[in-house]
C-alpha cells in the first residue's frame, strides 16, 4: 500500500477549503502535530492513502444488471492479450485494495494481467435491480466481467470467501478457468462438523449483527459498527498488523458500508456467509489444477479442513495444499511472497 505525505490544516474553515485540493479517492489520516505559528493556525502532517474501493466499474447483465467494481494491472486500462490473466476475488468486507501487494509487484504484473473483482456486497459493486443474491451470483457476475473485458480464459485466485467463489466460477464454466488458487478458505458450509475440525463458529458471534442490521425502517445515518470493523482486521491480518494498515481498513469499511444502502449491503454479505451452501460433493467436478495455500496461523478455518478438502478434487490434474508458516487468514496480504511464487508456478506450468 503506497503512502504519500501531504500537509493539512487543523482549522475547520481552512480544512474545508484545503480538502478541495486533495484527490477525493484518498482520505486524510493525521499522524502528529506540528508547530503552532503566530497566526494561531496549527498544522498537521497527514498520510494520504490511496483509493479504498475500486474506481473502475463495468455493468454486466446478470440479475437484471450489476455495476461491478474492478481493478486491472495494465497501465493502458485494457487486457494485454500477450499475457495470461489472473482473476482475484477478495475476502469478506474488503475491496480490491486487499491485493495491493500483488498489484505493486513488478515481477508479477510483468508476467500476468491481474484482474481484481469486488463481489456482490463489497466495494463498488452493487446490483441495479435486486437486493438478494448468493455466492453463485458473484461467480456468474465475475465470468461476465471477463466477457466484458475480453478475457476468454483465466486463472482464478480467491482469499477466504473468494476461495469458494472462484471454485464456483470453475464449476459454472470449467472450459474458462485454467487453474485455481484458493487461499485461507474452506469448501464446506458453516457446518457442525467443520467446528469439530478447528473451524470457527460464526453464527454465535455474527448473528447479533445480522439481526441489528435487518431493521425495516430507513437508516440514513448508518455506519458499520466499530466492533465489526475490528473483527474484520483482527481475524484477517494476523497478530501484529501495522497501525496504518488498521487505519486504512477501518476507514474503508466506514466508507463502503454507510447509509441505508450500506446497511443492506453488509447485511446481505453477512447473510451469504452464514447461510452458504457447501461444495464438498461438487469438488469432484473441478477439472483444472488446484494450488491451495493455507496459513498455519489461520484463526478462521485452521488447517485440518483444507487437508481433508484438497483430497476431494479427484478430477484435477494436480491438487496440492501448502501450509504457509506464520500465514494468517488474508493470506495474500500476510504472506504475499509465498502466494506470488505459487501463482507464477501455476501460470508457468498451465498457461494455454
Amino acid at each position: 500500500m503506497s503512502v504519500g505525505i501531504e500537509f493539512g490544516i487543523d482549522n475547520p474553515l481552512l480544512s474545508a477549503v484545503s480538502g478541495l485540493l486533495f484527490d477525493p479517492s484518498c482520505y486524510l489520516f493525521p499522524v502528529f502535530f506540528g508547530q503552532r505559528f503566530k497566526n494561531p493556525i496549527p498544522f498537521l502532517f497527514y498520510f494520504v492513502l490511496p483509493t479504498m474501493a475500486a474506481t473502475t466499474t463495468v455493468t454486466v447483465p446478470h440479475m437484471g444488471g450489476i455495476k461491478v467494481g474492478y481493478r486491472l494491472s495494465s497501465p493502458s486500462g485494457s487486457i494485454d492479450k500477450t499475457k495470461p490473466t489472473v482473476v482475484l476475488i477478495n475476502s469478506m468486507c474488503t475491496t480490491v485494495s486487499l491485493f495491493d501487494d500483488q498489484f505493486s509487484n513488478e515481477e508479477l504484473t510483468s508476467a500476468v494481467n491481474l484482474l481484481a473483482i469486488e463481489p456482490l456486497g463489497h466495494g463498488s459493486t452493487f446490483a441495479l435491480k435486486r437486493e438478494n443474491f448468493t455466492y453463485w451470483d458473484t461467480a456468474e457476475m465475475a465470468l461476465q466481467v471477463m466477457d466484458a473485458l475480453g478475457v476468454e480464459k483465466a486463472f482464478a485466485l480467491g482469499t477466504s470467501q473468494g476461495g469458494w467463489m472462484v471454485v464456483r466460477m470453475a464449476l459454472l464454466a470449467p472450459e474458462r478457468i485454467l487453474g485455481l488458487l484458493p487461499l485461507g478458505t474452506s469448501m464446506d458450509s458453516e457446518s457442525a462438523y467443520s467446528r469439530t475440525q478447528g473451524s470457527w463458529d460464526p453464527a454465535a458471534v455474527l448473528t447479533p449483527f445480522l439481526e441489528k442490521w435487518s431493521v425495516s425502517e430507513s437508516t440514513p445515518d448508518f455506519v458499520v459498527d466499530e466492533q465489526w470493523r475490528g473483527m474484520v482486521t483482527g481475524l484477517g491480518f494476523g497478530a501484529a498488523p501495522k497501525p496504518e494498515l488498521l487505519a486504512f481498513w477501518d476507514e474503508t469499511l466506514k466508507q463502503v458500508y454507510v447509509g441505508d444502502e450500506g446497511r443492506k449491503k453488509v447485511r446481505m454479505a453477512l447473510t451469504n456467509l452464514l447461510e452458504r451452501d457447501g461444495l464438498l460433493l461438487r469438488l469432484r467436478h473441478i477439472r483444472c489444477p488446484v494450488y491451495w495455500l493455507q496459513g498455519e496461523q489461520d484463526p478462521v478455518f485452521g488447517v485440518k479442513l483444507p487437508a481433508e478438502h484438497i483430497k476431494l478434487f479427484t478430477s484435477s490434474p494436480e491438487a496440492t495444499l501448502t501450509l504457509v508458516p506464520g500465514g494468517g487468514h488474508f493470506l495474500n496480504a500476510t504472506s504475499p511472497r509465498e502466494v506470488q511464487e505459487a501463482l507464477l508456478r501455476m501460470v508457468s506450468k498451465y498457461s494455454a
Side-chain angles (χ1 to χ4, degrees):
M1 179 170 56
S2 59
V3 177
I5 297 179
E6 295 285 353
F7 290 98
I9 303 172
D10 189 21
N11 174 281
L13 177 60
L14 294 179
S15 291
V17 174
S18 64
L20 298 175
L21 302 177
F22 291 95
D23 184 342
S25 68
C26 297
Y27 78 97
L28 305 180
F29 177 59
V31 290
F32 70 85
F33 285 93
Q35 294 290 328
R36 290 179 178 268
F37 294 88
K38 292 181 179 179
N39 59 11
I41 301 174
F43 285 80
L44 286 167
F45 285 105
Y46 289 100
F47 282 124
V48 180
L49 300 181
T51 299
M52 300 165 183
T55 57
T56 310
T57 62
V58 62
T59 300
V60 300
H62 187 57
M63 293 176 54
I66 305 171
K67 187 176 182 181
V68 186
Y70 74 93
R71 179 181 180 183
L72 192 60
S73 59
S74 173
S76 69
S78 58
I79 294 292
D80 183 344
K81 300 289 188 179
T82 67
K83 301 177 185 178
T85 295
V86 181
V87 170
L88 311 171
I89 305 288
N90 56 268
S91 55
M92 179 72 173
C93 285
T94 63
T95 68
V96 293
S97 291
L98 183 69
F99 299 106
D100 278 351
D101 283 322
Q102 286 69 51
F103 277 87
S104 63
N105 188 301
E106 292 185 6
E107 182 182 1
L108 192 56
T109 57
S110 65
V112 300
N113 299 298
L114 295 178
L115 171 57
I117 299 173
E118 291 171 336
L120 284 158
H122 294 75
S124 299
T125 295
F126 63 92
L128 301 178
K129 295 185 178 180
R130 299 179 188 172
E131 186 173 313
N132 273 270
F133 54 82
T134 72
Y135 290 126
W136 292 99
D137 291 310
T138 285
E140 184 64 49
M141 177 200 82
L143 292 166
Q144 291 186 356
V145 172
M146 289 171 57
D147 292 336
L149 299 181
V151 179
E152 181 181 354
K153 297 181 180 182
F155 298 90
L157 177 153
T159 301
S160 187
Q161 65 170 9
W164 55 72
M165 291 180 191
V166 297
V167 170
R168 282 169 168 80
M169 291 175 68
L171 288 167
L172 291 174
E175 74 284 358
R176 302 188 67 185
I177 302 303
L178 300 172
L180 293 169
L181 292 99
L183 310 178
T185 192
S186 164
M187 295 295 124
D188 198 1
S189 62
E190 298 295 352
S191 68
Y193 174 76
S194 70
R195 291 190 288 277
T196 69
Q197 301 304 300
S199 180
W200 69 333
D201 183 5
V205 179
L206 304 184
T207 299
F209 288 99
L210 183 63
E211 296 303 321
K212 181 179 180 181
W213 297 337
S214 297
V215 295
S216 56
E217 63 269 18
S218 179
T219 55
D221 298 324
F222 175 84
V223 178
V224 70
D225 307 55
E226 181 179 3
Q227 184 183 1
W228 179 267
R229 304 193 307 265
M231 282 196 300
V232 170
T233 55
L235 288 170
F237 292 105
K242 295 179 180 179
E244 58 267 29
L245 181 70
L246 296 178
F248 175 84
W249 286 108
D250 186 74
E251 189 66 23
T252 296
L253 267 70
K254 288 192 290 185
Q255 288 197 7
V256 171
Y257 300 114
V258 64
D260 202 47
E261 290 305 313
R263 175 185 62 83
K264 293 176 182 178
K265 194 171 191 172
V266 70
R267 180 190 67 192
M268 281 307 304
L270 178 53
T271 299
N272 274 264
L273 181 71
L274 292 175
E275 204 175 44
R276 75 180 185 275
D277 53 323
L279 297 173
L280 300 184
L281 298 180
R282 301 176 189 266
L283 298 182
R284 68 192 70 182
H285 301 299
I286 297 294
R287 302 190 181 281
C288 64
V290 180
Y291 288 2
W292 186 326
L293 279 72
Q294 194 83 4
E296 288 187 348
Q297 305 303 316
D298 191 317
V300 177
F301 296 119
V303 297
K304 291 182 180 179
L305 285 175
E308 293 182 7
H309 296 172
I310 193 66
K311 298 175 184 177
L312 301 178
F313 291 91
T314 54
S315 298
S316 298
E318 184 181 12
T320 64
L321 171 66
T322 300
L323 299 181
V324 179
H329 185 48
F330 296 168
L331 195 62
N332 69 284
T334 67
S335 304
R337 178 179 59 82
E338 290 85 349
V339 170
Q340 173 192 324
E341 290 172 353
L343 176 54
L344 290 176
R345 187 166 62 252
M346 174 176 278
V347 169
S348 175
K349 187 172 182 179
Y350 290 105
S351 289

